[in-house]
Coordinates of all heavy atoms in Angstrom, one line a residue:
T1293 N 6.6 -15.0 -3.0 CA 5.5 -14.1 -3.4 C 5.9 -13.2 -4.5 O 7.0 -12.7 -4.5 CB 5.0 -13.3 -2.2 OG1 4.9 -14.1 -1.0 CG2 3.6 -12.6 -2.5
C1294 N 5.0 -13.0 -5.5 CA 5.2 -12.1 -6.6 C 5.5 -10.7 -6.1 O 4.8 -10.2 -5.2 CB 4.0 -12.1 -7.6 SG 4.2 -11.0 -8.9
P1295 N 6.5 -10.0 -6.7 CA 6.9 -8.7 -6.2 C 6.1 -7.6 -6.9 O 6.5 -6.4 -6.8 CB 8.3 -8.6 -6.5 CG 8.4 -9.4 -7.8 CD 7.4 -10.5 -7.8
Y1296 N 5.1 -7.9 -7.7 CA 4.5 -6.8 -8.4 C 3.2 -6.3 -7.7 O 3.3 -5.6 -6.8 CB 4.2 -7.2 -9.9 CG 5.5 -7.5 -10.7 CD1 5.7 -8.7 -11.4 CD2 6.5 -6.6 -10.7 CE1 6.9 -8.9 -12.1 CE2 7.7 -6.8 -11.4 CZ 7.9 -8.0 -12.1 OH 9.0 -8.2 -12.8
C1297 N 2.1 -6.7 -8.2 CA 0.9 -6.0 -7.7 C 0.4 -6.4 -6.3 O 0.9 -7.4 -5.8 CB -0.3 -6.0 -8.7 SG -1.3 -7.5 -8.7
G1298 N -0.6 -5.7 -5.8 CA -1.1 -6.0 -4.5 C -2.0 -7.3 -4.3 O -2.4 -7.6 -3.2
V1299 N -2.2 -8.0 -5.4 CA -2.9 -9.3 -5.3 C -2.1 -10.2 -4.4 O -2.6 -10.9 -3.6 CB -3.2 -9.9 -6.6 CG1 -3.9 -11.3 -6.4 CG2 -4.1 -9.0 -7.5
G1300 N -0.8 -10.1 -4.6 CA 0.1 -10.9 -3.7 C 0.1 -12.4 -4.0 O 0.0 -13.2 -3.1
C1301 N 0.3 -12.7 -5.3 CA 0.2 -14.1 -5.7 C 1.4 -14.9 -5.2 O 2.5 -14.5 -5.1 CB 0.2 -14.3 -7.2 SG -1.3 -13.5 -8.0
G1302 N 1.1 -16.2 -4.8 CA 2.1 -17.1 -4.4 C 2.8 -17.7 -5.6 O 2.2 -18.0 -6.6
V1303 N 4.1 -17.8 -5.5 CA 5.0 -18.2 -6.6 C 5.9 -19.3 -6.1 O 6.4 -19.3 -5.0 CB 5.9 -17.0 -7.1 CG1 7.0 -17.5 -8.1 CG2 5.0 -15.9 -7.7
N1324 N -4.0 -16.7 -5.2 CA -4.0 -17.0 -6.6 C -4.3 -18.5 -7.0 O -4.5 -18.8 -8.1 CB -2.7 -16.6 -7.3 CG -1.5 -17.2 -6.7 OD1 -1.4 -17.3 -5.5 ND2 -0.6 -17.6 -7.5
R1327 N -2.5 -19.6 -10.1 CA -2.6 -18.8 -11.3 C -1.6 -17.6 -11.2 O -1.3 -17.1 -10.1 CB -4.0 -18.2 -11.5 CG -5.0 -19.3 -12.0 CD -6.3 -18.6 -12.3 NE -6.9 -18.1 -11.1 CZ -7.8 -18.8 -10.4 NH1 -8.2 -20.0 -10.8 NH2 -8.4 -18.4 -9.3
L1328 N -1.0 -17.3 -12.3 CA -0.1 -16.1 -12.4 C -0.5 -15.3 -13.7 O -1.0 -15.9 -14.6 CB 1.3 -16.5 -12.5 CG 2.0 -17.2 -11.3 CD1 3.4 -17.6 -11.6 CD2 2.0 -16.3 -10.1
C1329 N -0.3 -14.0 -13.6 CA -0.5 -13.2 -14.9 C 0.8 -13.2 -15.7 O 1.8 -13.8 -15.3 CB -1.0 -11.8 -14.5 SG 0.3 -10.7 -13.9
V1330 N 0.8 -12.5 -16.8 CA 2.0 -12.4 -17.6 C 3.2 -11.8 -16.8 O 4.3 -12.4 -16.9 CB 1.7 -11.5 -18.8 CG1 3.0 -11.2 -19.6 CG2 0.7 -12.2 -19.7
K1331 N 3.0 -10.8 -16.0 CA 4.1 -10.2 -15.3 C 4.7 -11.2 -14.3 O 5.9 -11.4 -14.3 CB 3.6 -9.0 -14.5 CG 3.2 -7.8 -15.4 CD 2.8 -6.6 -14.5 CE 1.4 -6.8 -13.9 NZ 0.3 -6.2 -14.7
G1332 N 3.9 -11.9 -13.6 CA 4.4 -12.9 -12.6 C 5.0 -14.1 -13.4 O 6.1 -14.6 -13.0
S1333 N 4.4 -14.5 -14.5 CA 4.9 -15.7 -15.2 C 6.3 -15.4 -15.7 O 7.1 -16.3 -15.9 CB 4.0 -16.0 -16.3 OG 2.7 -16.3 -15.9
L1335 N 8.7 -13.6 -14.4 CA 9.6 -13.2 -13.4 C 11.0 -13.8 -13.6 O 12.0 -13.2 -13.3 CB 9.1 -13.5 -12.0 CG 8.2 -12.5 -11.3 CD1 7.5 -13.1 -10.2 CD2 9.1 -11.3 -10.9
C1460 N -4.5 -4.5 -14.1 CA -3.7 -4.1 -12.9 C -3.7 -5.2 -11.8 O -2.8 -5.2 -11.0 CB -4.2 -2.8 -12.4 SG -4.0 -1.5 -13.6
H1461 N -4.7 -6.0 -11.7 CA -4.8 -7.1 -10.7 C -5.3 -8.3 -11.5 O -6.4 -8.8 -11.1 CB -5.8 -6.7 -9.6 CG -5.4 -5.4 -8.9 ND1 -5.7 -4.1 -9.3 CD2 -4.5 -5.2 -7.8 CE1 -5.2 -3.3 -8.5 NE2 -4.4 -3.9 -7.6
P1462 N -4.6 -8.8 -12.4 CA -5.1 -9.8 -13.4 C -5.6 -11.1 -12.8 O -6.6 -11.7 -13.2 CB -3.9 -10.1 -14.3 CG -3.0 -8.9 -14.2 CD -3.2 -8.4 -12.7
T1463 N -4.9 -11.7 -11.8 CA -5.3 -13.0 -11.3 C -6.6 -12.8 -10.5 O -7.5 -13.7 -10.5 CB -4.3 -13.7 -10.4 OG1 -3.9 -12.9 -9.3 CG2 -3.0 -14.0 -11.2
L1464 N -6.8 -11.7 -9.8 CA -8.0 -11.5 -9.1 C -9.1 -11.3 -10.1 O -10.3 -11.8 -10.0 CB -7.9 -10.2 -8.2 CG -9.2 -9.9 -7.4 CD1 -9.6 -11.0 -6.5 CD2 -9.0 -8.6 -6.6
W1884 N 5.4 -3.1 -15.3 CA 5.2 -2.8 -13.9 C 5.9 -1.5 -13.6 O 7.1 -1.3 -14.0 CB 5.8 -3.9 -13.0 CG 5.7 -3.5 -11.6 CD1 6.8 -3.1 -10.7 CD2 4.6 -3.4 -10.8 NE1 6.3 -2.8 -9.5 CE2 5.0 -3.0 -9.5 CE3 3.2 -3.6 -11.0 CZ2 4.0 -2.7 -8.5 CZ3 2.3 -3.4 -10.0 CH2 2.7 -3.0 -8.7
Ligands
SF4_910 FE1 2.1 -10.8 -9.7 FE2 -0.1 -9.3 -9.5 FE3 0.3 -10.8 -11.6 FE4 -0.3 -11.9 -9.3 S1 -1.7 -10.6 -10.5 S2 1.2 -12.6 -10.7 S3 0.8 -10.5 -7.9 S4 1.5 -9.0 -11.0

Side-chain angles (χ1 to χ4, degrees):
T1293 313
C1294 176
Y1296 295 130
C1297 84
V1299 179
C1301 295
V1303 169
N1324 57 316
R1327 288 184 290 267
L1328 294 175
C1329 75
V1330 171
K1331 292 181 283 265
S1333 303
L1335 271 165
C1460 301
H1461 300 90
T1463 60
L1464 179 61
W1884 175 252

